[in-house]
Amino acid sequence: MSTAPEDLLLEARTQVADLQRDHQAQTELLNEASANLERLRGEVELLSAEIDTLKAERDTAKGEAAALQTRVTELQASQADFDKRVQTEVARVVASTGTTTPAQVTPAGESTQAADLHAQFAAIKDPAEQTAFWRNLTPQQQAIILKHQA
Amino acid sequence: MSNTLTNVKDIKVAQRALMPFTANLLPVTAFSTNFGPQQADKGDTVRVPLVGAPSGSSDFAGDYTANADSTVTTIPVTLNRHKFKTVHVTAREASETAMDVLDTLVETAAQQLAQDVLLDVMSVITLANFGGPGIPVLAATNFDYKKVLNLREACGAVKMPASPRGLVLDSGYYTNLLADDVVAKSFNLNLSAPGVTEALIKRLAGFDLHETVVIPADHAEKLVGFAVHPSAVAVAMRYLTPVAEYQQSGAVTDPQTGMTFGYLRFTDTRANKVFVTLECLYGFTVAKTDALKRIVKA
């Protein structure tokens, strides 16, 4: 039995309506995807700009670091030169006084002096000389000897 | 046995004490002295060179060695005096105060020891040894520059050598001299400046001046001072050799005058006390009786 033309028409219209609805949905999805694509393109452009900025800052920092390293090298060279000049000057002063003994300087700054003073003190066997020696010491030297003995 | 201290802490204490000891004994330097740190025992004799006028010059008679005056007159002095002062510090005293207690105590002891020694030496200055006073008896308020000149006149009258001469005065008489216009208003700043600012008169009318506070107010012979040439009295001082073993012992000597005291430190461990003794071995004797003029009060 064959289908009536009216039924066929109705079925065709239904199919058309479904297809139109599907088309509408696909169109909306496509529009939404296009909008997302545009937004992402914008973000990519922003990120690209930030990358360019960061690259520029990195290059600047590299330049500054190189300049500072150069400065450090120069200062180290200058310090070495200063030390050398101080040593030369000290040697000249010592030579001008006729002193042959090196300066009595220790990391503590005083132990050698205290030991020397104490030794000189111990070597004195005359009470009058002992008094004269003690009176010639500065209060700081007296304190150093006392500290050394303690 | 060495006669020097070896512990620096003791040396510090002793050296601080030496200052008042020397200062208070300074009037003794107006006499002939032989002071030193050499070891001696009580009863030993020390020869003290007498400072005096040399003998007269000779007329040249072909030989420069005639009447040579190379022998120094000395006078034997027996070390028969021995005074000492002992101080001590307990652990509690040391812990309860921030100041160095021992330093202060020893310093005070040295001052007292010196004053006692000086007073003892001046015990020879009597009417019997040196005769009547150089100037009439007077009160401190009447003692002035003119009286010093009167004393000078009295010294000259007995041919006392003009130099060196000393004038030792009780504090009241010395103070009154400070008020004399000759001193206080002198154009000579060497005289007036230290006199006004420091109450110090170094020299006046040819005398080296010394102030003393040791003469007691009730002195038996009313002594208040004296003008002196060194040949009047000979004084000797030495370091008494300690018999026992001490933790520290030694002589403490002033290099300028030779004044010496002995320093002994010992400990009582049961009582937790540290003792320090200062002692002085010395002797003195009258030498030339016309080389000192006493000053007495009414």
Side-chain angles (χ1 to χ4, degrees):
Chain A
M1 185 173 78
S2 60
T3 308
E6 292 82 1
D7 293 336
L8 288 172
L9 182 60
L10 183 63
E11 186 179 348
R13 282 180 175 169
T14 303
Q15 286 177 348
V16 168
D18 290 341
L19 287 171
Q20 282 178 335
R21 195 168 51 248
D22 288 345
H23 175 259
Q24 184 63 35
Q26 291 296 328
T27 301
E28 286 175 358
L29 286 172
L30 186 60
N31 287 338
E32 189 178 345
S34 294
N36 281 338
L37 180 62
E38 287 302 316
R39 184 176 53 79
L40 288 172
R41 276 183 180 160
E43 286 181 4
V44 167
E45 283 178 6
L46 285 172
L47 289 171
S48 295
E50 282 183 10
I51 287 170
D52 290 342
T53 305
L54 289 171
K55 277 183 179 174
E57 287 176 354
R58 182 201 62 191
D59 292 342
T60 305
K62 275 185 179 176
E64 287 177 354
L68 288 171
Q69 185 60 46
T70 307
R71 182 69 182 143
V72 167
T73 307
E74 287 173 1
L75 288 172
Q76 284 174 338
S78 173
Q79 177 67 38
D81 183 51
F82 177 75
D83 289 346
K84 190 175 178 181
R85 278 189 286 133
V86 167
Q87 287 170 5
T88 306
E89 182 62 14
V90 168
R92 187 190 67 74
V93 171
V94 169
S96 70
T97 61
T99 305
T100 55
T101 310
Q104 300 295 297
V105 179
T106 65
E110 59 185 29
S111 60
T112 305
Q113 187 192 5
D116 281 354
L117 284 173
H118 201 263
Q120 287 179 51
F121 222 171
I124 297 173
K125 298 299 175 194
D126 178 65
E129 283 181 30
Q130 191 175 64
T131 299
F133 188 86
W134 180 259
R135 287 179 182 173
N136 282 330
L137 295 175
T138 64
Q140 288 78 14
Q141 287 173 318
Q142 291 176 359
I144 285 171
I145 294 180
L146 281 164
K147 190 177 167 188
H148 177 76
Q149 180 184 259
Chain B
M1 185 193 296
S2 172
N3 63 342
T4 50
L5 296 171
T6 54
N7 185 296
V8 184
K9 281 184 182 171
D10 289 287
I11 291 169
K12 172 176 162 277
V13 173
Q15 288 299 328
R16 188 170 158 187
L18 183 59
M19 301 288 187
F21 182 79
T22 310
N24 281 275
L25 260 183
L26 210 54
V28 167
T29 58
F31 304 134
S32 293
T33 59
N34 184 341
F35 298 160
Q38 298 85 354
Q39 299 187 42
D41 289 319
K42 194 172 182 183
D44 286 356
T45 299
V46 173
R47 302 193 70 79
V48 178
L50 272 194
V51 179
S55 58
S57 303
S58 301
D59 290 321
F60 185 72
D63 186 356
Y64 280 119
T65 61
N67 198 19
D69 191 14
S70 61
T71 306
V72 177
T73 305
T74 61
I75 188 165
V77 174
T78 306
L79 299 168
N80 55 1
R81 297 291 218 273
H82 176 210
K83 287 190 185 294
F84 72 93
K85 283 283 297 176
T86 298
V87 295
H88 68 81
V89 177
T90 64
R92 186 175 176 180
E93 287 166 342
S95 63
E96 283 183 349
T97 175
M99 62 184 266
D100 205 330
V101 184
L102 192 63
D103 278 25
T104 310
L105 287 175
V106 174
E107 195 175 5
T108 310
Q111 180 175 322
Q112 187 59 52
L113 180 65
Q115 291 183 354
D116 291 342
V117 170
L118 177 62
L119 185 59
D120 195 21
V121 172
M122 290 202 302
S123 66
V124 297
I125 303 170
T126 61
L127 174 66
N129 286 335
F130 294 104
I135 53 175
V137 295
L138 77 172
T141 50
N142 293 328
F143 192 75
D144 54 16
Y145 178 66
K146 217 166 186 180
K147 298 299 185 297
V148 178
L149 291 180
N150 291 344
L151 269 171
R152 187 176 190 280
E153 193 177 359
C155 294
V158 294
K159 304 301 179 191
M160 188 189 296
S163 179
R165 284 180 187 169
L167 180 58
V168 179
L169 293 172
D170 178 65
S171 188
Y173 288 72
Y174 188 94
T175 302
N176 211 66
L177 202 52
L178 286 169
D180 193 301
D181 284 354
V182 173
V183 176
K185 297 180 180 175
S186 173
F187 288 111
N188 181 353
L189 289 178
N190 288 332
L191 179 61
S192 60
V196 172
T197 58
E198 308 294 337
L200 180 68
I201 311 170
K202 288 182 180 173
R203 276 182 67 78
L204 191 67
F207 292 104
D208 294 321
L209 262 72
H210 300 284
E211 180 184 15
T212 182
V213 293
V214 303
I215 304 173
D218 58 349
H219 191 276
E221 295 194 350
K222 314 281 189 192
L223 185 74
V224 291
F226 53 89
V228 64
H229 181 265
S231 58
V233 180
V235 189
M237 190 181 287
R238 287 290 185 270
Y239 170 58
L240 179 65
T241 313
V243 178
E245 284 288 329
Y246 291 90
Q247 286 163 317
Q248 271 288 295
S249 64
V252 184
T253 300
D254 175 59
Q256 275 78 46
T257 61
M259 289 177 190
T260 297
F261 64 76
Y263 178 98
L264 310 170
R265 176 169 59 79
F266 50 101
T267 307
D268 180 352
T269 50
R270 284 186 306 171
N272 200 9
K273 286 181 180 176
V274 176
F275 292 86
V276 171
T277 294
L278 305 185
E279 62 180 1
C280 189
L281 178 67
Y282 63 101
F284 51 90
T285 188
V286 174
K288 294 187 176 178
T289 56
D290 57 355
L292 187 145
K293 291 295 174 190
R294 298 182 309 127
I295 307 167
V296 296
K297 63 183 176 183

